[in-house]
């Protein structure tokens, strides 16, 4: 009985953030949040991700790429590339459990995807690529990984100048 009375009293109070939001003057707090959310959605829509049709998904494609591929070893990643099999070139990003737990693996893949996305117009379109993250990718900063990627692509004539 006593706990029910406490809850009723707590619900009747109109102070704090929830009180302001539910009061007539609280509308002024909702409007900026709505505008910020709309701006965020617009910003996200401007970001161009690597399209689904440019991602390697099939096991057969992975197997042929790994068997026929030439490899570029860097301190932060390994790039396996081979002539493209389909009309569009395709990418895949891999981070094994050696990199770390799922948080670190996803972070490594996000960084590599972002690098490829930013420079995809300058990467040779004749090849399919698999980018494999190494554990050193986690501790490195973005610019050092970017420099390593650009150097590796230029050395192996995968970079269009």
């Amino acid at each position: 009985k006593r706990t029910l009375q406490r809850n009723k009293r707590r619900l009747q109070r109109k102070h704090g953030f929830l009180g302001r939001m539910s009061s007539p003057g609280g509308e002024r707090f909702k409007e900026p949040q709505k505008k910020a959310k709309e701006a965020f959605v617009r910003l996200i829509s401007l970001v161009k991700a690597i399209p689904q049709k440019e991602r390697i998904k099939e096991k057969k494609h992975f197997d042929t790429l790994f068997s026929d591929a030439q490899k570029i070893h860097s301190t932060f990643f390994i790039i396996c590339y081979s002539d493209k099999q389909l009309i569009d070139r395709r990418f895949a990003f891999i981070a094994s459990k050696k990199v770390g737990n799922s948080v670190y693996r996803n972070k490594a893949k996000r960084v590599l995807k972002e690098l490829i996305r930013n420079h995809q117009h300058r990467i040779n379109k004749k090849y399919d690529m698999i980018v494999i993250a190494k554990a050193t990718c986690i501790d490195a900063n973005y610019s050092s990984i970017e420099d390593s990627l650009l150097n590796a692509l230029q050395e192996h004539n995968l970079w269009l100048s």
Side-chain angles (χ1 to χ4, degrees):
K1 220 176 188 184
R2 188 169 184 192
T3 55
L4 290 174
Q5 290 173 350
R6 281 186 193 164
N7 287 339
K8 282 182 185 177
R9 273 192 237 129
R10 195 177 84 222
L11 291 173
Q12 290 172 354
R13 289 188 215 138
K14 291 280 186 178
H15 63 77
F17 180 71
L18 292 176
R20 288 195 306 269
M21 291 299 287
S22 61
S23 66
E27 298 302 320
R28 68 176 191 265
F29 292 104
K30 290 181 183 177
E31 198 60 37
Q33 289 175 346
K34 188 176 178 183
K35 286 181 183 176
K37 185 176 181 180
E38 289 170 359
F40 179 73
V41 169
R42 272 183 277 154
L43 180 67
I44 293 297
S45 66
L46 293 175
V47 174
K48 301 286 184 190
I50 296 173
Q52 288 289 325
K53 66 179 184 176
E54 290 186 12
R55 295 183 192 171
I56 300 171
K57 298 176 196 159
E58 299 86 21
K59 185 180 183 337
K60 226 186 257 187
H61 201 158
F62 275 104
D63 291 341
T64 54
L65 256 173
F66 278 124
S67 62
D68 302 339
Q70 297 175 345
K71 294 183 181 175
I72 303 171
H73 291 271
S74 173
T75 54
F76 305 114
F77 51 83
I78 300 169
I79 297 177
C80 302
Y81 68 96
S82 180
D83 292 332
K84 65 182 176 181
Q85 296 178 353
L86 302 169
I87 296 168
D88 300 320
R89 67 149 176 223
R90 294 183 172 216
F91 295 102
F93 301 91
I94 300 173
S96 71
K97 287 192 176 181
K98 292 178 185 177
V99 174
N101 64 19
S102 63
V103 174
Y104 293 120
R105 291 194 306 266
N106 290 332
K107 179 184 176 191
K109 287 192 287 187
R110 274 197 311 270
V111 168
L112 293 173
K113 281 179 191 176
E114 183 66 14
L115 283 170
I116 295 293
R117 187 188 69 80
N118 285 336
H119 298 292
Q120 67 184 345
H121 60 282
R122 301 292 301 274
I123 296 173
N124 198 334
K125 291 178 174 48
K126 295 179 186 176
Y127 301 104
D128 290 339
M129 291 185 193
I130 298 176
V131 184
I132 304 169
K134 289 186 176 180
T136 53
C137 187
I138 299 299
D139 299 326
N141 60 358
Y142 184 84
S143 60
S144 62
I145 299 172
E146 184 176 28
D147 293 341
S148 179
L149 176 75
L150 298 181
N151 289 336
L153 292 174
Q154 287 169 352
E155 285 175 14
H156 294 273
N157 298 325
L158 297 173
W159 186 256
L160 301 174
S161 46

